[in-house]
Amino acid sequence: MKQQTSGRGGAVWALVITSVAGFMAALDNLVVTTALPSIRESLGGRLEELEWTVNAYTLTFAVLLMTGAALGDRFGRRRLFLAGLSVFTAASAAAALSPGIEELIAFRAVQGVGAAVMMPLTLTLLTAAVPPARRGMALGFFGAVTGLAVASGPLIGGSLTEHISWQWIFWLNVPVGLVLLPLARLRLAESYAPEAKLDVPGTVLVSGGLFGIVYALVSSTSDGWTDPLVLTGLIAGTLLLGVFVRHGFRAKNPVLPMRLFRDRAFFGINTASLLMFLGMFGSIFLLSQFLQNVLGYSPTEAGLRMLPWTGMPMLVAPVAGYLSDRFGGRPVVVTGLFLQAVGLGLFATVLEPDVAYTAQLPGLIVGGVGMAMYFAPAASLVMSSVRPGEQGIASGANNALREVGGALGVAVLAAVFSAQGGYGSPQAFTDGTVPALWIGAGVVALAALMALLIPRRGPKPGQAPEAAEERVPVAA
């Protein structure tokens, strides 16, 4: 990895800057969910349009993450990080000024473009700045901060929506971005990857495939599964993704080399990440609305009542990081995913239009502990599963798969919700949410099983995968 050293760099500054940037990008995945009823009242919109205020961000984010990582490797990671941060900040201001639901969806998509360039480079910039001996701790902290952002999205969104306005969930990013831009320019060292090349055909294939599938899933709630556009999206999207996989095996410099998935650690953590985000994002999308639309809580009250869930990363992540260092990341991630599945199952068991808050607490607490245990070691597992020169690709791939899972989760569970219930009454909303939560719990449980593929002990931070013990490939 070619790196331009500079006295202006430094591990602490890199950790602070990349963690704050990662927090912003991850926060915007779910900060909108608690504000959806207010956005619907202010701008109008049907269920599928509300879904697109979430999915427009996650889709462009997911589709362009690997491209963002490749651009950073080719043209300079700090340079592209600054470009992505600038686009994200400007699009946040534009989203806050949106006069209608269509404009909001459009600017959310632009936000996702900026985040897609910025987010994968946070990990590569951090990895380049931190010495190998301290890299595991730094990546664990980064993962915990990212998890906290995902979990605290409903609380932050609810508080800003109720006490100021829903527009402030976007305005919040502007001063933070304006502070980070000069800090990143002055305190981060530039780095490149040798012989990095752009894979235009691969980017087009994965972009078209993902868009077709997610568009079809979102549109199915209003148009039905037999609608020509829905069927075309599903079929064409699946075919394009199939060609993308074939391209990843045969191309000289693919945006996502499929050979990486022959490594059990890389395959296990990435598959588990996709499934975890699928189950959790779709569930939070519905639960945050259930607390307001059915139980009658204000946005802030809804966010506060999710605090046993959202606050757990702050309490559990340090313990999870210690356990990961002591016993390896695999048992911590598997246990965390299993607890998340149990938490969602507990929610689905007790959910009623008049459910007491005390009945919800077990699901909140168990799910929060599980989320913290997953996030703390996940980043370190991803980065240690590949060679140093491939860490940009690995970061982009993992983030992309997580965001694909989030977009699919909102689309799939919202489709289940619409088929089994709806917004018509508290009972109808409950009838739609319960089966969706059971599906979410099942998907996260499957993620726990996939995480068992990770070898018991991976390489130490900074160590090449081939030098580690117990590195068993998925296939010869």
Side-chain angles (χ1 to χ4, degrees):
M1 188 190 305
K2 180 184 176 184
Q3 181 171 331
Q4 177 182 323
T5 59
S6 171
R8 296 173 300 180
V12 174
W13 275 114
L15 181 59
V16 171
I17 294 168
T18 57
S19 294
V20 173
F23 184 92
M24 279 203 309
L27 181 71
D28 268 58
N29 273 310
L30 287 173
V31 73
V32 176
T33 55
T34 320
L36 286 175
S38 297
I39 293 173
R40 188 184 186 196
E41 183 179 345
S42 174
L43 302 180
R46 298 166 296 170
L47 173 63
E48 58 269 23
E49 290 174 320
L50 293 176
E51 288 179 55
W52 275 111
T53 63
V54 178
N55 279 339
Y57 179 84
T58 56
L59 185 58
T60 54
F61 193 5
V63 163
L64 296 174
L65 270 163
M66 288 179 284
T67 303
L71 287 170
D73 288 346
R74 174 67 178 82
F75 298 108
R77 290 160 180 157
R78 184 184 64 184
R79 180 180 300 165
L80 266 293
F81 175 81
L82 291 170
L85 180 58
S86 299
V87 170
F88 180 84
T89 303
S92 296
L97 296 170
S98 297
I101 192 73
E102 293 84 4
E103 291 84 358
L104 177 60
I105 292 170
F107 289 127
R108 285 283 286 164
V110 178
Q111 261 191 312
V113 173
V117 175
M118 174 178 69
M119 188 65 173
L121 301 178
T122 56
L123 277 179
T124 46
L125 286 166
L126 179 59
T127 302
V130 178
R134 292 186 289 165
R135 199 167 289 160
M137 181 183 299
L139 291 173
F141 179 84
F142 180 92
V145 170
T146 303
L148 178 62
V150 172
S152 62
L155 174 59
I156 294 173
S159 299
L160 291 172
T161 298
E162 180 177 356
H163 296 295
I164 309 179
S165 70
W166 65 262
Q167 286 88 348
W168 274 89
I169 63 179
F170 303 116
W171 282 126
L172 180 66
N173 294 325
V174 177
V176 179
L178 292 177
V179 170
L180 282 183
L181 281 167
L183 282 177
R185 177 66 182 84
L186 294 170
R187 298 294 181 178
L188 293 179
E190 185 61 282
S191 64
Y192 304 80
E195 301 179 2
K197 298 183 183 300
L198 298 181
D199 178 19
V200 176
T203 301
V204 172
L205 287 170
V206 70
S207 302
L210 290 175
F211 181 82
I213 290 174
V214 174
Y215 173 83
L217 289 170
V218 172
S219 300
S220 68
T221 60
S222 59
D223 300 334
W225 291 103
T226 57
D227 180 80
L229 284 177
V230 172
L231 290 174
T232 300
L234 285 174
I235 295 171
T238 302
L239 289 174
L240 287 173
L241 288 182
V243 177
F244 171 72
V245 172
R246 184 172 179 267
H247 174 82
F249 279 114
R250 297 194 173 193
K252 184 177 180 181
N253 293 292
V255 65
L256 179 58
M258 291 298 157
R259 60 177 173 76
L260 295 178
F261 289 95
R262 291 176 176 151
D263 181 87
R264 275 177 48 185
F266 188 85
F267 179 83
I269 189 60
N270 280 287
T271 306
S273 295
L274 184 147
L275 294 171
M276 190 282 280
F277 270 64
L278 195 159
M280 290 300 295
F281 263 56
S283 299
I284 293 175
F285 176 79
L286 294 173
L287 284 174
S288 59
Q289 295 183 76
F290 176 87
L291 293 173
Q292 296 177 69
N293 292 338
V294 176
L295 299 184
Y297 296 128
S298 69
T300 301
E301 289 172 339
L304 286 173
R305 279 162 176 77
M306 295 183 76
L307 203 54
W309 190 2
T310 60
M312 280 299 150
M314 290 183 287
L315 300 176
V316 178
V319 179
Y322 168 79
L323 293 175
S324 179
D325 289 340
R326 179 71 176 83
F327 302 105
R330 175 182 183 253
V332 179
V333 166
V334 171
T335 303
L337 291 170
F338 173 75
L339 290 176
Q340 286 183 64
V342 171
L344 289 176
L346 290 172
F347 247 116
T349 302
V350 303
L351 222 58
E352 295 288 348
D354 57 351
V355 61
Y357 181 63
T358 52
Q360 302 171 48
L361 275 174
L364 288 168
I365 294 171
V366 172
V369 171
M371 182 180 290
M373 293 184 71
Y374 161 81
F375 274 113
S380 182
L381 283 170
V382 171
M383 300 302 274
S384 64
S385 67
V386 297
R387 299 178 180 90
E390 296 172 328
Q391 287 178 339
I393 294 173
S395 172
N398 181 254
N399 280 286
L401 289 170
R402 295 195 317 185
E403 297 309 317
V404 168
L408 290 177
V410 171
V412 170
L413 296 197
V416 174
F417 168 83
S418 296
Q420 300 296 319
Y423 285 97
S425 68
Q427 187 60 56
F429 200 103
T430 304
D431 290 342
T433 303
V434 169
L437 289 181
W438 279 119
I439 291 175
V443 170
V444 177
L446 180 59
L449 294 178
M450 297 307 298
L452 289 172
L453 292 173
I454 302 169
R456 291 184 181 275
R457 298 292 300 188
K460 296 179 181 179
Q463 178 182 341
E466 65 269 20
E469 296 180 359
E470 300 186 56
R471 307 299 289 168
V472 184
V474 171

